[in-house]
Amino acid sequence: MTKKEQLNKLYTKWEAETPDYQGKFIKDGINNDDFYFKASTKILFLTKEPNNPKQEAGDFREWWKEGLKYTFSHRLAEWSYGILNDFPEYEQMWHDKEGFKKAIFQVAFMNIKKVGGKGQSNCAEMEKHLTQNKKWLLKQIEIIEPEIIITGLTWKKLRNQLFDNVEWKNSGYNIAIGKFNNAKVIDFYHPSSRNAAAASYSLLENVINSESFKEL
């Protein structure tokens, strides 16, 4: 069974056992199995919820094929490209248009909440969905088998609730890092946060190249 098949089987059970998700479930996961497992590093981005107020069902793995839209997807592509290509200077990536477009398909992506929300998340609402989904989320991560997990969860309590056995430490750049099973975890910004694109790119480079991160 392929990873996509494993994830789809998981989603079928997940939706069936979660009444308020039925008919509204938004799938995510490995954007392209072949590209992901051939990538130099298996990266998983973990964020909060889809911006989908109408709560229509969908699949990020298909939506990415429509092209990169909005700040959210561009930040994910930039960070992916940087990690997978040893962080060339920020402006150099624009000279590799095909490589940049491909980067989003070389990584995995998942949300805590599997139905659409509004543009601004609510912490209490997210805690409720994390508690409800925790066993499913951990199984999803197990199937994806990442080597690096980059979170954009905003609130530390969400991070700590999901990764409750991780001992967090400072990377030296005011960004927390830790080890979850076989994956190194970076508690980073949400891709839609209002940070300068080049600055967040450089910060992620510094964290990944730090001795603290290498020693995890």
Side-chain angles (χ1 to χ4, degrees), residues 32-43 80 83-84 102-103 105-108 147:
N32 181 294
D33 281 16
D34 290 339
F35 290 162
Y36 178 75
F37 285 100
K38 289 177 182 176
S40 56
T41 304
K42 292 186 290 185
I43 306 162
S80 301
I83 298 170
L84 296 171
K102 182 181 177 181
F105 295 105
Q106 295 177 283
V107 303
E147 295 169 326

Side-chain angles (χ1 to χ4, degrees), residues 39-127:
S40 56
T41 304
K42 292 186 290 185
I43 306 162
L44 168 63
F45 290 97
L46 174 62
T47 59
K48 294 175 288 188
E49 62 180 339
N51 183 2
N52 184 350
K54 294 182 179 180
Q55 294 199 331
E56 297 168 331
D59 191 332
F60 273 97
R61 298 168 298 180
E62 296 301 320
W63 289 341
W64 296 126
K65 296 176 183 178
E66 298 174 8
L68 300 176
K69 302 175 182 178
Y70 314 115
T71 299
F72 179 82
S73 59
H74 279 87
R75 287 299 89 76
L76 289 179
E78 289 165 7
W79 298 345
S80 301
Y81 186 92
I83 298 170
L84 296 171
N85 294 278
D86 296 322
F87 288 99
E89 289 185 2
Y90 178 76
E91 293 184 357
Q92 286 186 10
M93 81 172 77
W94 309 118
H95 299 292
D96 182 12
K97 293 181 180 179
E98 290 306 311
F100 179 72
K101 290 178 182 178
K102 182 181 177 181
I104 200 73
F105 295 105
Q106 295 177 283
V107 303
F109 164 80
M110 58 184 279
N111 277 307
I112 294 293
K113 182 182 173 188
K114 300 300 188 187
V115 293
K118 300 179 181 179
Q120 190 167 354
S121 300
N122 175 278
C123 185
E125 175 83 358
M126 289 306 308
E127 281 190 88

Side-chain angles (χ1 to χ4, degrees), residues 44 46 112 130 134 138 141 147-181 183-189 207 212-213 215-216:
L44 168 63
L46 174 62
I112 294 293
L130 198 155
K134 185 173 179 178
L138 293 177
I141 294 171
E147 295 169 326
I148 294 178
I149 301 173
I150 300 175
T151 73
L153 301 179
T154 305
W155 299 287
K156 289 182 180 179
K157 58 175 63 177
L158 297 181
R159 171 198 83 182
N160 294 338
Q161 187 177 342
L162 181 60
F163 301 115
D164 55 14
N165 63 346
V166 170
E167 295 183 10
W168 297 97
K169 58 190 289 189
N170 199 311
S171 61
Y173 293 92
N174 198 32
I175 295 292
I177 56 176
K179 192 74 179 289
F180 175 73
N181 296 337
K184 297 181 179 183
V185 188
I186 302 173
D187 184 23
F188 205 55
Y189 299 125
V207 171
S212 298
F213 187 74
E215 292 169 0
L216 287 175

